[in-house]
mmCIF file of all heavy atoms in Angstrom:
data_model
loop_
_atom_site.group_PDB
_atom_site.id
_atom_site.type_symbol
_atom_site.label_atom_id
_atom_site.label_comp_id
_atom_site.label_asym_id
_atom_site.label_seq_id
_atom_site.Cartn_x
_atom_site.Cartn_y
_atom_site.Cartn_z
ATOM 1 N N ALA K 741 58.209 108.158 38.399
ATOM 2 C CA ALA K 741 56.849 108.009 37.874
ATOM 3 C C ALA K 741 56.193 109.334 37.505
ATOM 4 O O ALA K 741 55.609 109.453 36.414
ATOM 5 C CB ALA K 741 55.991 107.239 38.881
ATOM 6 N N PRO K 742 56.238 110.383 38.349
ATOM 7 C CA PRO K 742 55.595 111.652 37.947
ATOM 8 C C PRO K 742 56.166 112.224 36.656
ATOM 9 O O PRO K 742 55.415 112.687 35.790
ATOM 10 C CB PRO K 742 55.860 112.574 39.145
ATOM 11 C CG PRO K 742 56.077 111.657 40.293
ATOM 12 C CD PRO K 742 56.768 110.456 39.725
ATOM 13 N N ALA K 743 57.492 112.175 36.525
ATOM 14 C CA ALA K 743 58.110 112.706 35.308
ATOM 15 C C ALA K 743 57.752 111.862 34.096
ATOM 16 O O ALA K 743 57.516 112.397 33.003
ATOM 17 C CB ALA K 743 59.628 112.775 35.470
ATOM 18 N N LEU K 744 57.700 110.534 34.277
ATOM 19 C CA LEU K 744 57.353 109.660 33.160
ATOM 20 C C LEU K 744 55.913 109.874 32.715
ATOM 21 O O LEU K 744 55.617 109.840 31.514
ATOM 22 C CB LEU K 744 57.564 108.196 33.561
ATOM 23 C CG LEU K 744 59.014 107.770 33.793
ATOM 24 C CD1 LEU K 744 59.079 106.332 34.275
ATOM 25 C CD2 LEU K 744 59.827 107.936 32.519
ATOM 26 N N VAL K 745 55.019 110.091 33.664
ATOM 27 C CA VAL K 745 53.628 110.372 33.312
ATOM 28 C C VAL K 745 53.528 111.673 32.532
ATOM 29 O O VAL K 745 52.808 111.777 31.526
ATOM 30 C CB VAL K 745 52.747 110.417 34.575
ATOM 31 C CG1 VAL K 745 51.346 110.932 34.246
ATOM 32 C CG2 VAL K 745 52.672 109.047 35.218
ATOM 33 N N LEU K 746 54.256 112.697 32.986
ATOM 34 C CA LEU K 746 54.243 113.989 32.296
ATOM 35 C C LEU K 746 54.810 113.853 30.886
ATOM 36 O O LEU K 746 54.240 114.374 29.913
ATOM 37 C CB LEU K 746 55.040 115.017 33.098
ATOM 38 C CG LEU K 746 55.120 116.425 32.513
ATOM 39 C CD1 LEU K 746 53.732 117.040 32.418
ATOM 40 C CD2 LEU K 746 56.026 117.309 33.365
ATOM 41 N N LEU K 747 55.943 113.141 30.756
ATOM 42 C CA LEU K 747 56.534 112.943 29.438
ATOM 43 C C LEU K 747 55.611 112.125 28.536
ATOM 44 O O LEU K 747 55.534 112.359 27.334
ATOM 45 C CB LEU K 747 57.891 112.242 29.569
ATOM 46 C CG LEU K 747 59.036 113.084 30.129
ATOM 47 C CD1 LEU K 747 60.280 112.227 30.304
ATOM 48 C CD2 LEU K 747 59.328 114.265 29.213
ATOM 49 N N GLY K 748 54.896 111.163 29.134
ATOM 50 C CA GLY K 748 53.965 110.374 28.341
ATOM 51 C C GLY K 748 52.876 111.236 27.748
ATOM 52 O O GLY K 748 52.490 111.058 26.588
ATOM 53 N N GLY K 749 52.384 112.186 28.539
ATOM 54 C CA GLY K 749 51.348 113.069 28.025
ATOM 55 C C GLY K 749 51.854 114.051 26.993
ATOM 56 O O GLY K 749 51.139 114.380 26.033
ATOM 57 N N LEU K 750 53.105 114.516 27.187
ATOM 58 C CA LEU K 750 53.642 115.533 26.286
ATOM 59 C C LEU K 750 54.283 114.958 25.033
ATOM 60 O O LEU K 750 54.384 115.653 24.018
ATOM 61 C CB LEU K 750 54.674 116.388 27.030
ATOM 62 C CG LEU K 750 54.144 117.249 28.190
ATOM 63 C CD1 LEU K 750 55.292 117.977 28.881
ATOM 64 C CD2 LEU K 750 53.111 118.251 27.681
ATOM 65 N N LEU K 751 54.735 113.705 25.084
ATOM 66 C CA LEU K 751 55.477 113.137 23.952
ATOM 67 C C LEU K 751 54.768 111.930 23.331
ATOM 68 O O LEU K 751 54.568 111.894 22.116
ATOM 69 C CB LEU K 751 56.885 112.718 24.411
ATOM 70 C CG LEU K 751 57.818 113.845 24.847
ATOM 71 C CD1 LEU K 751 59.148 113.266 25.322
ATOM 72 C CD2 LEU K 751 58.051 114.830 23.716
ATOM 73 N N VAL K 752 54.403 110.967 24.149
ATOM 74 C CA VAL K 752 53.878 109.714 23.607
ATOM 75 C C VAL K 752 52.560 109.942 22.874
ATOM 76 O O VAL K 752 52.366 109.477 21.739
ATOM 77 C CB VAL K 752 53.707 108.671 24.729
ATOM 78 C CG1 VAL K 752 53.073 107.396 24.167
ATOM 79 C CG2 VAL K 752 55.048 108.358 25.365
ATOM 80 N N TYR K 753 51.643 110.660 23.495
ATOM 81 C CA TYR K 753 50.344 110.858 22.859
ATOM 82 C C TYR K 753 50.442 111.666 21.562
ATOM 83 O O TYR K 753 49.837 111.270 20.553
ATOM 84 C CB TYR K 753 49.380 111.539 23.828
ATOM 85 C CG TYR K 753 47.994 111.741 23.247
ATOM 86 C CD1 TYR K 753 47.140 110.656 23.053
ATOM 87 C CD2 TYR K 753 47.553 113.005 22.871
ATOM 88 C CE1 TYR K 753 45.877 110.827 22.519
ATOM 89 C CE2 TYR K 753 46.288 113.181 22.324
ATOM 90 C CZ TYR K 753 45.456 112.095 22.148
ATOM 91 O OH TYR K 753 44.214 112.267 21.611
ATOM 92 N N PRO K 754 51.198 112.795 21.519
ATOM 93 C CA PRO K 754 51.343 113.484 20.229
ATOM 94 C C PRO K 754 51.980 112.618 19.151
ATOM 95 O O PRO K 754 51.585 112.689 17.982
ATOM 96 C CB PRO K 754 52.229 114.686 20.584
ATOM 97 C CG PRO K 754 51.969 114.936 22.028
ATOM 98 C CD PRO K 754 51.783 113.573 22.624
ATOM 99 N N ILE K 755 52.973 111.803 19.533
ATOM 100 C CA ILE K 755 53.597 110.920 18.540
ATOM 101 C C ILE K 755 52.592 109.886 18.043
ATOM 102 O O ILE K 755 52.553 109.557 16.849
ATOM 103 C CB ILE K 755 54.834 110.236 19.149
ATOM 104 C CG1 ILE K 755 55.950 111.268 19.379
ATOM 105 C CG2 ILE K 755 55.347 109.123 18.236
ATOM 106 C CD1 ILE K 755 57.167 110.707 20.089
ATOM 107 N N TYR K 756 51.765 109.379 18.948
ATOM 108 C CA TYR K 756 50.714 108.437 18.552
ATOM 109 C C TYR K 756 49.751 109.091 17.558
ATOM 110 O O TYR K 756 49.386 108.495 16.533
ATOM 111 C CB TYR K 756 49.966 107.958 19.787
ATOM 112 C CG TYR K 756 48.618 107.342 19.481
ATOM 113 C CD1 TYR K 756 48.518 106.066 18.929
ATOM 114 C CD2 TYR K 756 47.442 108.050 19.743
ATOM 115 C CE1 TYR K 756 47.282 105.502 18.639
ATOM 116 C CE2 TYR K 756 46.209 107.502 19.460
ATOM 117 C CZ TYR K 756 46.125 106.226 18.909
ATOM 118 O OH TYR K 756 44.914 105.678 18.607
ATOM 119 N N GLN K 757 49.332 110.320 17.845
ATOM 120 C CA GLN K 757 48.422 111.026 16.949
ATOM 121 C C GLN K 757 49.087 111.310 15.596
ATOM 122 O O GLN K 757 48.450 111.203 14.543
ATOM 123 C CB GLN K 757 47.975 112.340 17.597
ATOM 124 C CG GLN K 757 46.956 112.179 18.700
ATOM 125 C CD GLN K 757 45.608 111.707 18.183
ATOM 126 O OE1 GLN K 757 45.241 111.944 17.038
ATOM 127 N NE2 GLN K 757 44.864 111.025 19.033
ATOM 128 N N LEU K 758 50.364 111.663 15.636
ATOM 129 C CA LEU K 758 51.099 111.907 14.399
ATOM 130 C C LEU K 758 51.123 110.655 13.530
ATOM 131 O O LEU K 758 50.845 110.709 12.327
ATOM 132 C CB LEU K 758 52.523 112.354 14.725
ATOM 133 C CG LEU K 758 53.428 112.708 13.535
ATOM 134 C CD1 LEU K 758 53.004 114.040 12.925
ATOM 135 C CD2 LEU K 758 54.890 112.777 13.978
ATOM 136 N N GLY K 759 51.444 109.520 14.154
ATOM 137 C CA GLY K 759 51.473 108.279 13.398
ATOM 138 C C GLY K 759 50.103 107.866 12.891
ATOM 139 O O GLY K 759 49.965 107.381 11.767
ATOM 140 N N LEU K 760 49.074 108.083 13.702
ATOM 141 C CA LEU K 760 47.722 107.712 13.303
ATOM 142 C C LEU K 760 47.263 108.513 12.085
ATOM 143 O O LEU K 760 46.741 107.942 11.109
ATOM 144 C CB LEU K 760 46.759 107.936 14.472
ATOM 145 C CG LEU K 760 45.268 107.666 14.191
ATOM 146 C CD1 LEU K 760 45.059 106.207 13.809
ATOM 147 C CD2 LEU K 760 44.427 108.047 15.401
ATOM 148 N N ILE K 761 47.464 109.822 12.124
ATOM 149 C CA ILE K 761 47.032 110.672 11.005
ATOM 150 C C ILE K 761 47.780 110.325 9.732
ATOM 151 O O ILE K 761 47.236 110.432 8.625
ATOM 152 C CB ILE K 761 47.206 112.158 11.367
ATOM 153 C CG1 ILE K 761 46.275 112.536 12.524
ATOM 154 C CG2 ILE K 761 46.933 113.062 10.164
ATOM 155 C CD1 ILE K 761 46.461 113.955 13.015
ATOM 156 N N SER K 762 49.043 109.875 9.877
ATOM 157 C CA SER K 762 49.824 109.542 8.680
ATOM 158 C C SER K 762 49.268 108.334 7.940
ATOM 159 O O SER K 762 49.629 108.108 6.785
ATOM 160 C CB SER K 762 51.284 109.285 9.065
ATOM 161 O OG SER K 762 51.418 108.064 9.782
ATOM 162 N N PHE K 763 48.393 107.549 8.581
ATOM 163 C CA PHE K 763 47.789 106.392 7.936
ATOM 164 C C PHE K 763 46.362 106.667 7.456
ATOM 165 O O PHE K 763 45.696 105.758 6.964
ATOM 166 C CB PHE K 763 47.773 105.191 8.886
ATOM 167 C CG PHE K 763 49.132 104.606 9.136
ATOM 168 C CD1 PHE K 763 49.772 104.814 10.345
ATOM 169 C CD2 PHE K 763 49.773 103.851 8.169
ATOM 170 C CE1 PHE K 763 51.030 104.283 10.587
ATOM 171 C CE2 PHE K 763 51.028 103.309 8.392
ATOM 172 C CZ PHE K 763 51.660 103.537 9.601
ATOM 173 N N LEU K 764 45.904 107.903 7.595
ATOM 174 C CA LEU K 764 44.533 108.239 7.235
ATOM 175 C C LEU K 764 44.485 109.162 6.028
ATOM 176 O O LEU K 764 45.494 109.785 5.662
ATOM 177 C CB LEU K 764 43.833 108.928 8.422
ATOM 178 C CG LEU K 764 43.763 108.166 9.745
ATOM 179 C CD1 LEU K 764 43.129 109.047 10.808
ATOM 180 C CD2 LEU K 764 42.994 106.863 9.591
ATOM 181 N N GLU K 765 43.324 109.252 5.424
ATOM 182 C CA GLU K 765 43.044 110.285 4.435
ATOM 183 C C GLU K 765 42.498 111.470 5.214
ATOM 184 O O GLU K 765 41.333 111.501 5.608
ATOM 185 C CB GLU K 765 42.028 109.788 3.419
ATOM 186 C CG GLU K 765 41.625 110.823 2.380
ATOM 187 C CD GLU K 765 42.750 111.160 1.411
ATOM 188 O OE1 GLU K 765 43.594 110.267 1.157
ATOM 189 O OE2 GLU K 765 42.784 112.303 0.927
ATOM 190 N N TYR K 766 43.342 112.458 5.444
ATOM 191 C CA TYR K 766 42.977 113.553 6.349
ATOM 192 C C TYR K 766 43.385 114.877 5.726
ATOM 193 O O TYR K 766 44.522 115.316 5.841
ATOM 194 C CB TYR K 766 43.655 113.352 7.709
ATOM 195 C CG TYR K 766 43.016 114.124 8.841
ATOM 196 C CD1 TYR K 766 41.768 113.766 9.321
ATOM 197 C CD2 TYR K 766 43.669 115.194 9.433
ATOM 198 C CE1 TYR K 766 41.172 114.451 10.365
ATOM 199 C CE2 TYR K 766 43.081 115.895 10.472
ATOM 200 C CZ TYR K 766 41.837 115.524 10.939
ATOM 201 O OH TYR K 766 41.249 116.214 11.961
#
Side-chain angles (χ1 to χ4, degrees):
L744 292 176
V745 171
L746 180 62
L747 288 175
L750 295 177
L751 294 178
V752 176
Y753 182 72
I755 291 175
Y756 162 75
Q757 285 292 333
L758 182 73
L760 177 62
I761 295 176
S762 71
F763 289 106
L764 302 176
E765 177 69 30
Y766 199 70

